[in-house]
Amino acid sequence: MAPYLYPPLAAPIPTVVVHLSHPRAHRRLPIPFAIALIGLIVVGAWVFLPTLRAGFVYEDIRWLRSAGWIAWRPRVLMSLSWWLQAHLSPAPWAFHAVNVGLHAINAIYVGLLARGLRLGTVGVLTAAGWFALTPMSVEAVAY
């Protein structure tokens, strides 16, 4: 005789599969947690949105004018990024939008790293929020 299976007491929480490094090495990220993390990152990006009204400063114009000489720079990836941005949209707000977007993506990575370290939900949201709202160098985001 087959055992009687009771219905579950609560509905299972829907999950999102996040692949980390190996296709079979994945962890499930609960959707409410993912929404909270993304909401926190959106708030962090919203804090830096006033930088979109800022213009270029210091030696930015000189770097933009010489952005074609990528190989001669010590920061090749930065030079390549500036060259692409200068050719796609040379407006200052576009450069600031890319910086804010990259900061938001990095804040998500900090949250995933904290989750990988098993800091718990509060620890993960605290780490990602702290990184998103108080970067070590504001110039890295707002410049």
Side-chain angles (χ1 to χ4, degrees), residues 86-101:
H87 284 81
L88 293 176
S89 176
W93 69 266
F95 286 84
H96 295 300
V98 168
N99 286 343
V100 170

Side-chain angles (χ1 to χ4, degrees), residues 59-81:
E59 71 278 351
D60 291 347
I61 301 298
R62 181 176 56 88
W63 276 88
L64 286 174
R65 287 185 183 149
S66 65
W69 300 97
I70 295 170
W72 296 98
R73 302 272 163 87
R75 300 176 183 169
V76 177
L77 188 59
M78 182 194 73
S79 299
L80 179 62
S81 170

Side-chain angles (χ1 to χ4, degrees), residues 13-65:
I13 297 174
T15 58
V16 177
V17 177
V18 178
H19 292 282
L20 301 172
S21 73
H22 193 273
R24 287 182 282 172
H26 65 275
R27 297 181 182 165
R28 295 193 179 271
L29 194 63
I31 288 183
F33 177 75
I35 291 172
L37 182 63
I38 290 173
L40 188 64
I41 303 312
V42 167
V43 169
W46 177 72
V47 168
F48 291 101
L49 283 183
T51 64
L52 298 181
R53 292 188 303 253
F56 291 123
V57 295
Y58 305 125
E59 71 278 351
D60 291 347
I61 301 298
R62 181 176 56 88
W63 276 88
L64 286 174
R65 287 185 183 149

Side-chain angles (χ1 to χ4, degrees), residues 109-120 123-125 127-128:
Y109 284 142
V110 167
L112 292 176
L113 176 67
R115 188 167 194 272
L117 294 172
R118 297 183 178 140
L119 294 181
V124 170
L125 294 176

